[in-house]
Amino acid sequence: MKRYLRAFGSVLDPRVYFHAFRLLHFYGYAHVRQVPLLTRGPRVTFAPNVSFRNAERIEIGAGSHIGEYSTIWAGNATGRVTLGEKCLLAPRVTLTASNYAIVRGIPVMDQPKIERDITIGPGVWLGADTVVLAGVTVGEGAIVAAGAVVTKDVPPHAIVGGVPAKVLGYRPEAAA
């Protein structure tokens, strides 16, 4: 009986509704207001819960897809994110073209931001929960395994994985 009273009480609790407004605000801030600022080719698709930041510096090539809960953040001033044609980003991929400096004695939030472009070549597949850091170029046709953290450039057609990501092999040639 107590469980039912608690459930009924939560329906009447105004904090529940205020939280809904916070969620709507975040959705509008990170997606709805940002999508019109994107530069994107035809047939680009992405889940409705993808988060974009500074979308005026994000370019998505034709036919690319960005999976659920992914976060694509360009830098606040100069850092750009460019995805080539036919890129496939699985759910929860994070691309961030901005990072903080790490000088000792200064709180991280007070450090200057370091912005560097991210370039994802055409035909790249980024697995679920992949993180690509500022300044990285992922070469054409590369595959990044789920959960990898990409801190350095990835050669074309390489298969990389791990934290930090390392080359595990290369994609085979297509059969003739």
Side-chain angles (χ1 to χ4, degrees):
M1 186 64 168
K2 283 184 180 181
R3 186 178 349 166
Y4 294 113
L5 288 173
R6 270 189 262 137
F8 181 71
S10 68
V11 171
L12 299 176
D13 188 344
R15 294 177 294 181
V16 171
Y17 301 100
F18 288 125
H19 185 66
F21 286 120
R22 289 180 65 199
L23 291 173
L24 286 172
H25 171 73
F26 176 78
Y27 180 73
Y29 169 75
H31 186 83
V32 175
R33 289 178 44 197
Q34 295 290 311
V35 168
L37 304 175
L38 291 168
T39 300
R40 55 185 165 152
R43 300 174 318 282
V44 168
T45 59
F46 44 82
N49 51 15
V50 171
S51 175
F52 296 103
R53 183 77 170 264
N54 302 313
E56 64 275 10
R57 284 184 293 288
I58 298 172
E59 183 176 340
I60 306 171
S64 292
H65 174 76
I66 302 172
E68 293 80 1
Y69 302 105
S70 291
T71 303
I72 315 298
W73 282 23
N76 291 338
T78 61
R80 303 182 68 76
V81 176
T82 304
L83 277 70
E85 292 185 1
K86 296 279 190 168
C87 288
L88 177 59
L89 279 63
R92 297 175 312 276
V93 168
T94 299
L95 308 177
T96 179
S98 182
N99 204 349
Y100 288 97
I102 56 170
V103 176
R104 190 183 321 180
I106 301 172
V108 172
M109 291 188 64
D110 295 336
Q111 300 270 349
K113 286 196 175 178
I114 301 165
E115 297 186 17
R116 296 175 50 216
D117 296 349
I118 293 175
T119 303
I120 308 296
V124 168
W125 176 19
L126 302 178
D129 297 306
T130 294
V131 176
V132 179
L133 299 181
V136 168
T137 295
V138 179
E140 177 180 356
I143 297 174
V144 179
V149 177
V150 184
T151 61
K152 295 181 180 164
D153 291 353
V154 175
H157 309 290
I159 300 170
V160 301
V163 179
K166 293 182 178 13
V167 175
L168 304 174
Y170 287 86
R171 294 177 66 181
E173 294 287 332

